[in-house]
Amino acid sequence: MIITTQKNGKTLLVVPEGRIDTQTAPEFEQKLSEELGDATELQIDLGQVNYISSAGLRVLLAYTQEMDERGGTIKAINVNDIVRKIFDLTGFLDILGIE
């Protein structure tokens, strides 16, 4: 898995590529933890993610709660059809801000 990040003021953009599953979710979570800092807006670009498992959804849920606690926002951007279907089946379309 490749994860790139870009911080612009209080906004952190995270761009994972590949699969977010039981093997890669810990790396994804660690990268978010390392890079989040004082960000109040977290954008996760899922355009290059071809699969997300329950382990990846758990990370997104944890950071949804983290951003709520700090009064910030989290949104998934460039959500492709594969990930959108998984979000729909699991109810994540109602949890995450989706663009």
Side-chain angles (χ1 to χ4, degrees):
M1 165 179 258
I2 298 169
I3 305 169
T4 57
T5 62
Q6 179 179 357
K7 194 153 189 193
N8 184 8
K10 298 276 187 174
T11 300
L12 175 64
L13 172 64
V14 179
V15 185
E17 297 179 35
R19 296 171 59 94
I20 305 176
D21 56 22
T22 55
Q23 292 182 342
T24 60
E27 175 186 356
F28 180 53
E29 186 170 23
Q30 180 179 355
K31 189 70 163 181
L32 286 169
S33 176
E34 291 170 356
E35 300 290 331
L36 191 59
D38 64 348
T40 55
E41 182 178 355
L42 175 58
Q43 297 180 355
I44 302 176
D45 184 332
L46 297 171
Q48 299 300 313
V49 172
N50 53 29
Y51 176 76
I52 186 165
S53 74
S54 60
L57 295 175
R58 182 194 61 76
V59 173
L60 292 178
L61 182 58
Y63 276 87
T64 298
Q65 293 170 341
E66 169 70 25
M67 296 310 289
D68 281 347
E69 288 173 7
R70 62 172 67 194
T73 59
I74 181 173
K75 53 183 148 172
I77 61 174
N78 298 322
V79 179
N80 62 45
D81 290 341
I82 295 166
V83 174
R84 185 175 294 276
K85 184 172 183 176
I86 293 168
F87 282 178
D88 185 37
L89 292 171
T90 59
F92 267 71
L93 287 178
D94 298 327
I95 295 171
L96 279 177
I98 308 284
E99 280 188 15

